[in-house]
Amino acid sequence: MSTQVPSSLVTQPDAHSDKESPRWLGPLVLLGPSGLWLGLLLVIPTLLIFELSLVPGIRPGDIVNPSGLDNYGLIFQPVYFRVIGRSLFFAFGTTFFALLLGFPVAYWIALIAPKQWRNLLLLSFVLPLWTSSLLRSYAWITILRPTGVLNSFLQLIGIPPLDLLNRSPAVLIGMSYSMLPYIVLVLYASLEKLDRRLLEAAADLGANPLQVFWKVTIPQSLPGIVAGALLVFITSLGDFVDPELLGGASSMTLARLIYNQFIGATQNWGFGSALSMILIFLVSLAIALLIKYGDRSQVV
Amino acid sequence: MAPPALNSSHAQSALRSSGATRRNLLITAAFAALGYGLSKIRWRLGGNPNSHPSTPKTLEIYTWSSYVDQKLLDDFKAQTGITEVVVGILGSNEEMLAAIKAGKGGTYSILYPSDYAVTQLVQANKLQPLDHSRLIGLENILPKFRHSVHDPGNRYSIPVSWGTTGLIYNSEKLTPPPRDWSYLWQYPKLLSRRFTLLDDMREVMGATLKSMGYSYNSQNPEEIKQAYEKLVELKPHIASFTTDAWKDQLLAGDLYLAMSYSADAVTLMQEDSRLRYLIPESGTSLWSDTIVIPQPCPNETGAYAWLNFILQPSVAADMTQRLFFATPNQAAYDQLPAPLRNNQSLFPPDALLTKSEGIAPLNEAMTEIYDRYWTKLTSS
């Protein structure tokens, strides 16, 4: 009995659709599952976080009784601006270094390396993603610490040791490294589609390689660059592991601050929710910029 | 021809845009209604979980990683006939409090909160009073742990270990050796970026307060502010706030000193003879970790079996020898070999203990003051 009921429910709409499939059925079937997923796991939780952010000083076990914007008022303090500023600095820095390091690699794999090796090269670049990000951060501790791998090597060749660990440079190194595979993949996808006839035409018409690169290659791959940069920026803005493990005493970022409000030392879920809304706002802003300027660059 | 066409397309677009605004209006109204509805529903953040009864053969416990090992579990299973013990590892008291208060309890029959967390769990109504008639060997617990400020008379909790907070340091690197908390401020050149403090608000604030001659648990806002300012002065020299990550770096010689709990320090000293543990002269905090039974509890019989197992002097003595933490059980202490009994890092002399304090629970207003300064310190 119980197995028959659902099966009849499933087959009935199909039987109908043969004769007169309602116009809304297609979109419903296609978008329904993911819509439900998004609604239950993204929209409703975000609304709940928003509601919590309206309760001043709520801790676990308290009654949720939204009463105002006090939590947002708390954010307007120099110390939290510094935290937000630091998060933005790490995110911009990571984006910059990931682009700087990732573009030549993607360019080489897509345009110069022998074709039969490309997949292998890409795979080897993505390989680090198969290990835990936590493990990769710990590896950086081993490399960067005062008597670590890097400093032992520097000492060997007679260069004074670098004090990198527990400072901002270590965070930037760790985060750029984590983001590199992603940006290489995105840039590769865009460079691979590059129209080589345009490059040849530019060369034929007398442009030197540098001019070809700036006036043809870069504009053509701009959508890929923008998409890759935003992917890295958004992910770094919420990164938690690298600042925590590599940054030392003065590396509080927005994501860590939020963590502290929920399960860290200071359990203020209301303030944590307000901070989360700020992070969501910053990320949405980045995505809005992607939609606006990402499209325009494709027209160019 | 041209103007009407223009007009009609204009009209069409106007129609379209009015349709769009109508839809926007609808969506806005729907969201407003949803928001209003949400604001009218008063719900509780967390709440009571449904205890799902487990079979009497399984016991789930939520404890610190250093408090259980395979041998302990095997011995327990062999003694009691419980076939499966599921161990959840907790990272900090705050993590456990958040999880239990938010309703994630219900699966665990045994928790291992530290002293002040017991008070908070009792206040939140999350613990079962212990039935002393079902406990065997409670009288072996030292009197000072039977009458603690956190749980006088062991109404809810049984102490399983105790210890101090202090400084572990590399004796080859630090001359003169540290004697008190003030050392951190006295030798900024020697120590700069070569030491870590615990990622623990009460311990770091408390130690600083103590170094200034105030109570570890000061409730005086002016004193707390002074301690904060003293920490701001120290901040550029602190490598990191961490409870665990200092261990490898201290062994490797990258760090010279770390603020640490005695149990971690004594364990690490077994690996490296250069390391010393110091209980600062001016006094420190005395902590204890306890075992409690949460409310609700899926397997009460199993929980009491666990408590009685841990209370056995031979089990407690065994744990002290294997896992290096001080036992509050007098009968277990008597069974320990002499070198361990005389280990002053583990069992410090009474003169030092009388200068030290347990971390006392704070009321909400005081907690907020501590929180504010700690957030300011760690965020800047």
Side-chain angles (χ1 to χ4, degrees):
Chain A
M1 265 297 277
S2 62
T3 49
Q4 260 178 344
V5 176
S7 72
S8 72
L9 269 176
V10 172
T11 50
Q12 240 174 357
D14 277 336
H16 264 284
S17 66
D18 276 343
K19 292 164 196 164
E20 36 161 314
S21 82
R23 244 206 272 165
W24 46 266
L25 190 70
L28 187 74
V29 169
L30 289 173
L31 300 178
S34 61
L36 201 68
W37 181 268
L38 277 180
L40 285 179
L41 299 177
L42 182 77
V43 177
I44 291 180
T46 308
L47 287 175
L48 288 180
I49 292 173
F50 179 63
E51 191 190 5
L52 279 185
S53 76
L54 299 178
V55 194
I58 189 171
R59 284 159 200 272
D62 294 352
I63 287 171
V64 176
N65 188 16
S67 62
L69 294 168
D70 300 27
N71 286 321
Y72 292 92
L74 279 179
I75 298 171
F76 289 95
Q77 285 180 40
V79 65
Y80 296 126
F81 283 141
R82 214 171 303 154
V83 171
I84 293 172
R86 192 181 290 127
S87 305
L88 289 171
F89 167 75
F90 283 146
F92 275 119
T94 305
T95 310
F96 176 76
F97 286 114
L99 262 182
L100 200 69
L101 296 170
F103 195 87
V105 175
Y107 188 85
W108 182 72
I109 297 178
L111 297 175
I112 301 172
K115 217 170 191 167
Q116 68 271 24
W117 286 15
R118 275 182 201 164
N119 284 334
L120 197 68
L121 285 166
L122 272 182
L123 184 74
S124 66
F125 232 81
V126 182
L127 216 56
L129 292 181
W130 292 7
T131 61
S132 140
S133 64
L134 203 64
L135 218 61
R136 280 178 275 147
S137 296
Y138 272 108
W140 277 111
I141 294 182
T142 314
I143 295 169
L144 297 175
R145 63 192 171 78
T147 59
V149 178
L150 177 70
N151 282 323
S152 307
F153 175 72
L154 290 180
Q155 226 166 6
L156 207 67
I157 58 173
I159 294 174
L162 295 170
D163 184 13
L164 294 173
L165 187 63
N166 291 326
R167 283 177 188 275
S168 303
V171 179
L172 285 174
I173 292 172
M175 280 168 67
S176 307
Y177 168 77
S178 329
M179 289 297 132
L180 205 53
Y182 297 106
I183 200 157
V184 166
L185 276 182
V186 175
L187 288 175
Y188 170 81
S190 122
L191 284 168
E192 198 207 6
K193 288 183 295 192
L194 202 68
D195 190 345
R196 283 159 198 249
R197 289 170 306 174
L198 289 178
L199 302 182
E200 285 157 17
D204 281 349
L205 294 171
N208 62 35
L210 203 64
Q211 283 175 316
V212 174
F213 181 74
W214 280 113
K215 301 214 159 153
V216 183
T217 312
I218 291 281
Q220 274 202 87
S221 52
L222 205 56
I225 294 173
V226 172
L230 264 148
L231 178 77
V232 170
F233 181 80
I234 290 166
T235 318
S236 332
L237 204 55
D239 191 9
F240 164 80
V241 173
D242 289 307
E244 169 93 26
L245 288 178
L246 302 171
S250 301
S251 65
M252 187 64 75
T253 58
L254 204 48
R256 283 182 68 192
L257 194 60
I258 291 169
Y259 172 88
N260 281 349
Q261 302 305 320
F262 282 93
I263 51 177
T266 46
Q267 281 180 37
N268 186 338
W269 286 28
F271 184 50
S273 301
L275 289 169
S276 303
M277 291 312 291
I278 297 289
L279 187 60
I280 291 170
F281 171 75
L282 287 174
V283 169
S284 311
L285 199 69
I287 294 173
L289 287 175
L290 170 71
I291 292 169
K292 187 149 187 246
Y293 293 101
D295 267 359
R296 190 175 292 174
S297 61
Q298 233 153 6
V299 177
V300 169
Chain B
M1 273 297 278
L6 202 76
N7 258 346
S8 85
S9 91
H10 192 80
Q12 240 173 9
S13 86
L15 202 73
R16 217 172 17 231
S17 81
S18 94
T21 47
R22 202 177 307 138
R23 194 157 52 230
N24 279 345
L25 198 73
L26 269 173
I27 290 170
T28 316
F31 268 101
L34 188 64
Y36 182 76
L38 270 177
S39 74
K40 287 288 126 184
I41 305 168
R42 282 168 51 107
W43 48 292
R44 195 181 281 274
L45 186 54
N48 277 320
N50 296 321
S51 158
H52 60 80
S54 67
T55 62
K57 293 278 174 205
T58 50
L59 181 70
E60 292 199 29
I61 65 178
Y62 196 19
T63 181
W64 306 88
S65 60
S66 51
Y67 280 164
V68 278
D69 59 4
Q70 197 53 49
K71 181 165 187 312
L72 189 76
L73 297 181
D74 289 344
D75 289 354
F76 175 70
K77 288 182 208 164
Q79 258 194 36
T80 58
I82 285 176
T83 50
E84 199 190 350
V85 182
V86 182
V87 179
I89 299 296
L90 64 95
S92 70
N93 280 302
E94 282 68 24
E95 191 187 311
M96 179 193 60
L97 287 167
I100 298 294
K101 286 189 195 170
K104 215 185 116 192
T107 58
Y108 296 112
S109 299
I110 287 285
L111 308 176
Y112 273 65
S114 301
D115 33 40
Y116 69 96
V118 175
T119 316
Q120 291 194 34
L121 285 169
V122 171
Q123 281 165 358
N125 237 339
K126 294 290 181 190
L127 297 187
Q128 267 189 33
L130 296 177
D131 179 357
H132 285 204
S133 66
R134 292 171 75 177
L135 294 172
I136 306 157
L138 191 60
E139 64 282 356
N140 289 329
I141 301 291
L142 284 165
K144 66 177 162 190
F145 294 105
R146 300 215 49 188
H147 307 289
S148 65
V149 278
H150 311 100
D151 182 24
N154 299 105
R155 283 192 53 215
Y156 294 96
S157 68
I158 287 179
V160 66
S161 84
W162 64 280
T164 53
T165 302
L167 302 171
I168 181 171
Y169 64 98
N170 185 330
S171 59
E172 273 179 12
K173 303 278 188 187
L174 296 190
T175 42
R179 302 180 63 88
D180 201 1
W181 297 114
S182 55
Y183 190 83
L184 301 178
W185 283 269
Q186 281 163 358
Y187 297 93
K189 274 222 178 91
L190 177 65
L191 276 177
S192 190
R193 300 181 41 75
R194 295 291 190 172
F195 73 98
T196 61
L197 298 182
L198 287 173
D199 188 13
D200 185 318
M201 173 177 82
R202 293 296 304 281
E203 293 284 5
V204 172
M205 295 291 281
T208 312
L209 285 162
K210 201 78 182 173
S211 78
M212 303 166 87
Y214 303 134
S215 160
Y216 219 86
N217 299 307
S218 172
Q219 307 237 16
N220 178 337
E222 182 52 36
E223 291 174 6
I224 299 168
K225 181 164 176 269
Q226 284 175 27
Y228 160 75
E229 280 161 1
K230 211 175 165 196
L231 280 167
V232 169
E233 185 193 316
L234 190 65
K235 177 111 187 287
H237 303 295
I238 305 170
S240 180
F241 291 101
T242 172
T243 304
D244 269 314
W246 51 269
K247 291 177 185 168
D248 291 331
Q249 295 179 53
L250 194 70
L251 287 173
D254 294 326
L255 292 174
Y256 298 161
L257 180 146
M259 184 180 181
S260 114
Y261 302 118
S262 53
D264 290 333
V266 173
T267 309
L268 210 65
M269 280 155 69
Q270 313 290 323
E271 289 182 41
D272 191 332
S273 59
R274 294 173 304 172
L275 300 180
R276 304 265 186 284
Y277 178 68
L278 168 86
I279 300 171
E281 267 174 352
S282 57
T284 182
S285 77
L286 290 177
W287 48 262
S288 61
D289 288 341
T290 72
I291 313 182
V292 300
I293 302 180
Q295 168 79 13
C297 168
N299 184 356
E300 209 180 289
T301 319
Y304 276 97
W306 182 266
L307 286 176
N308 285 326
F309 174 72
I310 298 292
L311 278 171
Q312 287 170 26
S314 58
V315 173
D318 229 31
M319 282 207 305
T320 302
Q321 290 182 60
R322 276 205 322 274
L323 304 169
F324 302 111
F325 48 78
T327 175
N329 191 321
Q330 182 66 50
Y333 177 78
D334 293 338
Q335 287 185 14
L336 291 175
L340 213 53
R341 256 183 299 160
N342 298 330
N343 184 332
Q344 299 222 330
S345 303
L346 216 49
F347 299 102
D350 276 341
L352 264 178
L353 292 184
T354 47
K355 278 193 250 174
S356 305
E357 305 164 60
I359 288 186
L362 299 170
N363 63 29
E364 215 164 281
M366 280 322 287
T367 307
E368 224 160 280
I369 294 177
Y370 270 92
D371 278 359
R372 200 173 63 231
Y373 283 122
W374 179 249
T375 306
K376 259 170 96 170
L377 178 73
T378 49
S379 296
S380 68

